[in-house]
């Protein structure tokens, strides 16, 4: 890298005036520069004896070489400095500096002024650093160690000395202080503009976040019938009058009482008596406070809900900042990455790029990015939308206090042999031996870096000290957090297992732990479900599959497992391993999370709309392919086996070919699958049985699929003019009817074409108890209903016959 460009004049304003940089013209500038070099202040350049012709030749040589440039700097038009830029990977530092992409070397010579000007060198250094960092990510300098003045100026600009190195030969030899400054270093320096510790927390980004969240709250809480906005007499206009405050907005309404509220249209006003209505800021937190009498959040838990909402706002602002800055791919960029990916690593990388681009979280929950417990640095390191990579930390957990449950086709040796390299095995055994411990007495347990820092080393300090838990250090593989935040995808070896770990943060109504006791049956449950799916001809024909959770480990040697009352402290140390979908891909196939179908980027472009249009087939055909891959198998499992999944956006992987959904792969089996009837189950799997009546069985499709996914997708396609809602739901009904026609022998009392179904409300659950929405041991009894909803896929009403 030699410079931002050689074809333009760079300009920046400083305290002393406007400073510009332009390419040196040797014929024009040689005499001027020769005078500067001859001054005693320039002695460290070691060029004071050069004549004008020699300086002209030197400057011409710099400009002619491909990896160097020379620039003349002016202050308000007056020439005052010379700077040189060069690629340190190819020039001067090739043997002493481990150059990184984005490095740019720099030399600076400030002209000795006839009349000293206070602050001139600082202003010039500031301008040169801004110039260099236009495209570069790090500036490299190598001043003579004896040049104390320039050392002070470099320090003021944020440079850090890496080490002393020997450069040059003969009379041009010098002992140099090799130093670097990143953009962040310069920004935080005395000469920089100041380090913005939270660049996303600005009025503009937060305004966007507030409006987005207020629009969502109005839409989803109206959908759950917590209030009823009234038409205000304008086209698509509505108003919601609360105690002293009124909300005005435009919205379109679709089937299933689905509201699409325009965030830009929201106005919040207060009655000011004779002065009329006063416009107030749109504020999501104030909206919840104003809605408190209607929402009935328990007073003791209101602050917790507001904290989750505040965290959701902060993450929304951060996502907005990253999208505007181009660090998160647009929908067009995502499609381009999927289209051009070639080879396992590229395909996996495009899949993970889509995963990190999701900006919404759960489509129905308002406070959906709570993450209470994450600091700002934790957010930047571990939030899914950041797309950062991490290494898991490994513990040796004493075997007598730890269980390892395995799928039927797995052994302990094969499992750890696949997850850990031979070098890691040897290193872990050596570290145990160094403590006088035998590796045979331990099982290996991965933990999230956050969990180690905040829980294991503190809450389980006694277990570590007595050697029941032994920290072994980070593993070799890098992982990326998925939208479910505690599930991690292997970026080093994409064909290897996901790892799901306990993460004791509060998020969306639950502490995100993992129960060792609960997971003992997880591999057996997965084996049973996978065998059922693989053995069913209809599911095989649809390409429907599941990602088995093949291993689960949990530690129970802590004191918390001996207290009378179960609680979150028993869910702090456990992990499971889940199959990767990458090895299942065929030629030309790509992976995306189903959550992507509900994603809009910062420009408002919908991923589903772009995908449907890029596929080159009619929208009806595109939607039918998706319903065949997603809805049809779920209907079959429910009607044939009374088997229900939790098929929301993050629990489904969609396999695409040329933008068309070809098949679906389900994950998160052990915790979220349920058998809703009395069919026989193998030993050890009984936990998943939850017998309910036929109407409640139907909610596995009505609530989780129709209301939880298709309602939102229908709104997107209708809003974008891709497919009208009547035709959308007609295709849904056709999919259900086709299953019935193709399986005439199926006997079930479940009617998925019924006129109405119970309206189960998710936000009401979180509002009732922000710490634990449902009792996982009896989820059916935890649900909250708000009457019934008309089924948009209902069979046509039969005309009445009068006698």
């Amino acid at each position: 890298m030699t410079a931002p460009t050689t074809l333009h004049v760079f300009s920046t304003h400083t305290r002393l005036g406007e400073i510009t940089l332009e390419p040196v013209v040797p014929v024009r500038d040689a005499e001027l520069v020769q005078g500067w070099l001859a001054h005693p202040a320039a002695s460290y350049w070691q060029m004071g004896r050069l004549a004008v012709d020699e300086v002209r030749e030197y400057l011409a040589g710099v400009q002619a070489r491909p990896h160097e440039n020379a620039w003349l700097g002016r202050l308000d038009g007056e020439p005052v400095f010379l700077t040189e830029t060069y690629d340190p990977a190819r020039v001067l530092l090739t043997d002493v500096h481990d150059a990184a992409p984005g490095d740019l070397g720099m030399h600076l010579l400030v002209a000795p002024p006839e009349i000293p000007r206070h602050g001139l060198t600082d202003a010039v250094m500031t301008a040169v650093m801004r110039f260099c960092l236009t495209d570069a990510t790090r500036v490299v300098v190598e001043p003579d160690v004896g040049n104390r003045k320039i050392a002070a100026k470099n320090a003021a600009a944020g440079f850090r000395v890496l080490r002393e190195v020997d450069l040059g030969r003969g009379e041009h030899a010098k002992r140099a202080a090799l130093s670097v400054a990143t953009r962040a270093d310069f920004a935080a320096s005395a000469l920089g503009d100041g380090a913005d510790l939270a660049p996303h927390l600005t009025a503009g980004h937060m305004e966007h976040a507030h409006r987005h969240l207020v629009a969502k709250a109005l839409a989803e809480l109206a959908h759950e019938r917590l209030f009823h906005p009234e038409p205000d007499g304008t086209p698509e206009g509505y108003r919601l009058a609360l105690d002293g405050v009124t909300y005005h907005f435009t919205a379109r309404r679709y089937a299933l009482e689905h509201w699409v509220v325009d965030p830009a249209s929201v106005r919040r006003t207060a009655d000011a008596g004779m002065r009329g209505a006063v416009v107030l800021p749109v504020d999501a937190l104030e909206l919840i406070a104003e809605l408190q009498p209607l929402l009935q959040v328990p007073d003791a838990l209101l602050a917790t809900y507001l904290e989750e909402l505040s965290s959701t706002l902060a993450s929304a602002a951060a996502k907005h900042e990253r999208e505007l800055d181009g660090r998160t791919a647009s929908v067009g960029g995502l499609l381009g990455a999927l289209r051009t990916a070639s080879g396992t690593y590229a395909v996996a990388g495009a899949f993970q790029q889509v995963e990190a681009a999701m900006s919404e979280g759960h489509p129905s929950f308002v406070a959906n990015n709570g993450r209470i417990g994450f600091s700002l640095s934790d957010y930047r390191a571990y939030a899914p939308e950041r797309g950062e990579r991490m290494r898991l930390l490994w513990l040796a957990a004493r075997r007598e206090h730890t269980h390892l449950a395995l799928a039927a086709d797995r052994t302990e040796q094969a499992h750890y042999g696949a997850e850990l390299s031979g070098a890691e095995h040897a290193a872990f055994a050596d570290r145990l031996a160094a403590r006088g411990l035998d590796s045979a007495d331990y099982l290996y347990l991965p933990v999230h870096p956050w969990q180690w820092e905040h829980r294991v080393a503190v809450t389980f300090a006694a277990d570590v000290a007595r050697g029941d838990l032994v920290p072994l250090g980070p593993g070799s593989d890098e992982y990326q957090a998925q939208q479910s935040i505690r599930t991690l995808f292997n970026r080093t070896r994409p064909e290897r297992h996901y790892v799901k770990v306990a993460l004791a943060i509060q998020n969306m109504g639950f502490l995100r732990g993992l129960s060792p006791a609960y997971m003992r049956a997880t591999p057996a449950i997965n084996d049973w479900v996978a065998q059922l799916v693989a053995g069913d001809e209809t599911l095989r024909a649809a390409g429907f599959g599941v990602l088995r959770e093949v291993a689960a480990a949990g530690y129970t040697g802590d004191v918390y497992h001996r207290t009378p009352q179960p609680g979150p402290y028993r869910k702090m140390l456990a992990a499971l391993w889940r199959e990767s979908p990458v090895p299942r891909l065929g030629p030309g196939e790509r992976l995306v999370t189903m959550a992507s179908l509900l994603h809009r980027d910062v420009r408002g472009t919908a991923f589903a709309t772009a995908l449907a249009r890029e596929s080159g087939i009619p929208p009806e055909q595109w939607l039918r392919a998706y319903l065949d891959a997603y809805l049809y198998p779920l209907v079959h499992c429910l009607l044939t086996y009374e088997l229900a999944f939790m098929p929301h956006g993050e629990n489904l992987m969609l396999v695409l070919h040329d933008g068309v959904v070809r098949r679906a792969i389900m994950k998160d089996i052990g915790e979220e699958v349920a058998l809703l009837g009395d069919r026989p189950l193998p030993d050890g799997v009984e936990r998943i049985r939850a017998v309910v009546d036929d109407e409640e069985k139907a909610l596995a499709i009505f609530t989780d699929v129709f209301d939880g996914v298709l309602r939102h997708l229908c709104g997107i396609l209708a809003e974008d003019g891709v497919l009208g809602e009547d035709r959308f739901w007609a295709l849904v009904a056709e999919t259900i009817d086709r299953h019935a026609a193709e399986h005439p022998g199926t006997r079930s009392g479940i009617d998925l074409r019924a006129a109405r179904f119970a309206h189960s409300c998710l936000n009401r659950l979180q509002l009732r108890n922000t710490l634990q929405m449902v009792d996982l041991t009896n989820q059916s009894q935890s649900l909250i209903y708000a009457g019934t909803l008309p089924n948009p896929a209902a069979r046509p009403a039969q005309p009445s016959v009068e006698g």
Side-chain angles (χ1 to χ4, degrees):
M1 181 171 192
T2 57
T5 178
T6 60
L7 302 176
H8 77 300
V9 174
F10 175 85
S11 175
T12 186
H13 290 277
T14 70
R15 287 180 295 175
L16 295 186
E18 183 182 35
I19 291 181
T20 60
L21 288 91
E22 63 193 61
V24 159
V25 179
V27 174
R28 180 195 67 188
D29 301 327
E31 184 174 356
L32 179 68
V33 173
Q34 191 271 340
W36 296 348
L37 289 168
H39 193 278
S43 61
Y44 284 104
W45 277 68
Q46 303 176 355
M47 299 173 68
R49 291 182 292 177
L50 295 183
V52 172
D53 288 346
E54 291 174 305
V55 171
R56 183 181 301 113
E57 183 180 351
Y58 168 78
L59 293 175
V62 171
Q63 296 297 62
R65 289 190 284 272
H67 303 298
E68 300 179 62
N69 287 110
W71 309 86
L72 184 73
R74 303 176 186 269
L75 173 59
D76 292 334
E78 177 190 353
V80 293
F81 67 93
L82 170 76
T83 191
E84 296 175 351
T85 56
Y86 64 92
D87 183 349
R90 295 178 171 88
V91 177
L92 187 61
L93 303 179
T94 52
D95 296 329
V96 298
H97 175 57
D98 189 10
D103 277 3
L104 182 67
M106 182 267 287
H107 298 139
L108 176 62
L109 172 64
V110 180
E114 295 180 5
I115 301 175
R117 298 186 62 178
H118 179 70
L120 175 63
T121 304
D122 287 346
V124 168
M125 177 66 90
T126 299
V128 169
M129 289 298 288
R130 289 175 182 169
F131 170 68
C132 290
L133 291 169
T134 300
D135 289 337
T137 57
R138 192 169 67 161
V139 181
V140 184
V141 295
E142 14 66 39
D144 192 296
V145 294
N147 193 343
R148 306 316 300 168
K149 288 185 178 179
I150 196 63
K153 294 302 179 185
N154 286 345
F159 281 93
R160 295 173 288 112
V161 177
L162 298 181
R163 61 187 176 277
E164 293 185 5
V165 297
D166 292 316
L167 296 176
R169 295 178 181 176
E171 62 178 338
H172 294 294
K174 70 175 181 179
R175 185 73 171 171
L178 181 64
S179 309
V180 297
T182 65
R183 287 175 178 170
D185 293 332
F186 174 64
S189 73
L191 300 184
D193 297 322
D196 191 343
L197 299 179
H200 60 296
L201 298 183
T202 64
H205 295 312
M206 191 54 73
E207 167 78 6
H208 176 273
H210 274 300
R211 286 192 169 276
H212 171 78
L213 209 55
V214 165
K216 182 172 184 177
L218 291 171
E220 290 303 311
L221 300 180
H223 168 71
E224 296 191 11
R225 300 173 177 171
L226 284 160
F227 48 74
H228 301 279
E230 301 174 347
D232 66 4
T234 65
E236 299 179 342
Y238 293 87
R239 65 191 297 273
L240 175 64
L242 303 173
D243 186 13
V245 176
T246 302
Y247 285 83
H248 311 262
F249 56 92
T250 61
R252 281 171 293 280
R253 298 182 63 184
Y254 295 96
L256 292 175
E257 298 184 21
H258 181 60
W259 294 71
V260 178
V261 176
D262 178 9
S265 72
V266 178
R267 291 175 61 248
R268 174 175 168 242
T269 63
D271 186 2
M274 297 294 293
R275 293 183 294 142
V278 176
V279 177
L280 301 175
V282 174
D283 187 305
L285 299 169
E286 293 295 336
L287 172 62
I288 297 304
E290 291 156 358
L291 286 172
Q292 166 67 351
L294 298 176
L295 303 182
Q296 298 182 353
V297 184
D299 291 343
L301 296 177
L302 178 59
T304 302
Y305 186 74
L306 289 173
E307 185 179 5
E308 286 210 50
L309 199 65
S310 295
S311 178
T312 301
L313 278 168
S315 66
K319 293 171 189 175
H320 187 249
E321 186 251 342
R322 285 177 63 82
E323 281 198 88
L324 286 181
D325 199 34
R327 285 173 290 162
T328 299
S330 65
V331 162
L334 297 177
L335 291 181
L338 290 168
R339 187 188 316 115
T340 59
S342 177
T344 298
Y345 282 94
V347 170
F351 170 38
Q352 290 307 292
Q353 194 174 353
V354 173
E355 184 77 15
M358 301 299 97
S359 58
E360 178 53 59
H362 197 290
S364 298
F365 283 101
V366 177
N368 58 26
N369 284 150
R371 302 166 183 170
I372 296 176
F374 268 5
S375 66
L376 181 56
S377 59
D378 293 332
Y379 169 81
R380 288 170 173 160
Y382 307 129
E385 61 269 22
R386 302 290 295 191
E388 300 292 341
R389 300 187 186 191
M390 72 185 83
R391 284 186 167 90
L392 291 169
L393 298 176
W394 285 83
L395 302 176
R398 198 176 294 277
R399 189 180 290 271
E400 65 183 279
H401 301 310
T402 311
H403 77 81
L404 176 67
L406 296 165
D409 60 349
R410 295 293 195 275
T411 65
E412 179 182 326
Q413 182 178 4
H415 169 66
Y416 283 118
E419 293 303 303
L420 295 169
S421 67
E424 286 172 308
H425 270 288
F428 290 174
D430 288 346
R431 289 166 195 170
L432 288 168
R435 294 173 177 242
L437 303 172
D438 186 346
S439 61
D441 295 334
Y442 288 86
L443 288 166
Y444 295 136
L445 180 67
V447 296
H448 195 287
W450 187 96
Q451 194 78 351
W452 161 256
E453 185 75 18
H454 294 267
R455 292 300 186 193
V456 182
V458 178
T459 310
F460 297 86
D463 302 72
V464 175
R466 67 174 176 264
D468 287 343
L469 294 173
V470 181
L472 299 172
S476 300
D477 290 358
E478 289 187 316
Y479 290 84
Q480 180 176 327
Q482 305 300 276
Q483 285 292 311
S484 50
I485 205 165
R486 56 184 170 161
T487 298
L488 309 171
F489 178 85
N490 193 317
R491 293 303 305 269
T492 303
R493 298 184 292 170
E495 74 281 1
R496 303 311 301 160
H497 297 108
Y498 287 97
V499 180
K500 186 174 182 178
V501 289
L503 189 60
I505 60 171
Q506 182 72 25
N507 188 48
M508 220 166 70
F510 284 106
L511 188 84
R512 297 291 157 173
L514 282 178
S515 166
Y518 196 72
M519 289 197 307
R520 285 180 182 272
T522 292
I525 292 169
N526 278 262
D527 279 348
W528 178 76
V529 173
Q531 185 177 15
L532 182 150
V533 168
D536 185 277
E537 183 179 351
T538 295
L539 298 177
R540 288 201 308 273
F544 185 75
V546 297
L547 298 178
R548 284 191 306 157
E549 291 148 355
V550 298
Y555 173 76
T556 58
D558 52 84
V559 70
Y560 309 107
H561 275 85
R562 297 190 292 278
T563 56
Q565 185 66 34
Y569 293 97
R570 296 189 184 182
K571 300 178 182 180
M572 299 288 184
L573 280 170
L576 64 79
W577 288 264
R578 176 187 296 137
E579 292 172 324
S580 168
V582 173
R584 303 190 185 191
L585 296 180
E589 292 186 330
R590 303 291 184 264
L591 275 171
V592 296
T593 172
M594 195 175 74
S596 64
L597 296 188
L598 308 184
H599 169 64
R600 286 190 186 273
D601 65 20
V602 72
R603 298 166 185 80
T605 305
F607 187 81
T609 295
L611 201 63
R613 287 173 174 163
E614 187 175 83
S615 70
I617 62 176
E620 289 193 12
Q621 187 177 342
W622 183 88
L623 180 62
R624 186 177 285 112
Y626 163 64
L627 294 174
D628 287 349
Y630 171 56
L631 177 61
Y632 191 96
L634 295 176
V635 168
H636 181 74
C637 288
L638 181 65
L639 298 184
T640 306
Y641 302 109
E642 300 176 299
L643 186 66
F645 297 91
M646 186 63 72
H648 58 69
E650 184 53 25
N651 272 0
L652 263 293
M653 304 294 107
L654 299 180
V655 178
L656 307 176
H657 193 285
D658 294 333
V660 180
V661 180
R662 294 304 188 195
R663 49 200 171 89
I665 307 174
M666 179 72 63
K667 73 175 183 67
D668 227 353
I669 305 301
E671 284 193 287
E672 298 191 337
V673 73
L675 183 69
L676 304 180
D678 292 319
R679 296 170 183 269
L681 283 169
D683 293 340
V685 179
E686 187 64 29
R687 187 191 80 200
I688 69 171
R689 190 186 305 280
V691 179
V692 296
D693 62 30
D694 288 337
E695 287 192 1
E696 189 166 338
K697 290 174 187 174
L699 295 183
I701 298 296
F702 288 145
T703 298
D704 297 333
V705 178
F706 283 17
D707 197 45
V709 178
L710 298 185
R711 166 171 69 96
H712 299 278
L713 180 60
C714 176
I716 288 171
L717 298 180
E719 285 285 299
D720 290 356
V722 176
L723 192 66
E725 67 167 335
D726 289 344
R727 191 60 192 138
F728 182 99
W729 290 107
L731 291 173
V732 171
E734 287 177 17
T735 303
I736 296 170
D737 287 346
R738 182 166 61 81
H739 181 271
E742 292 172 355
H743 299 82
T746 300
R747 296 182 179 180
S748 174
I750 301 170
D751 184 5
L752 298 179
R753 298 269 265 135
R756 304 184 72 87
F757 60 84
H759 185 7
S760 181
C761 301
L762 298 181
N763 284 283
R764 287 178 182 246
L765 293 174
Q766 190 175 7
L767 293 167
R768 177 184 64 187
N769 186 342
T770 59
L771 298 177
Q772 181 171 323
M773 291 193 301
V774 298
D775 178 359
L776 293 177
T777 64
N778 192 350
Q779 297 188 42
S780 176
Q781 293 302 310
S782 300
L783 300 179
I784 297 177
Y785 299 103
T788 63
L789 286 170
N791 181 5
R795 62 178 60 84
Q798 297 296 319
S800 59
V801 179
E802 297 183 5

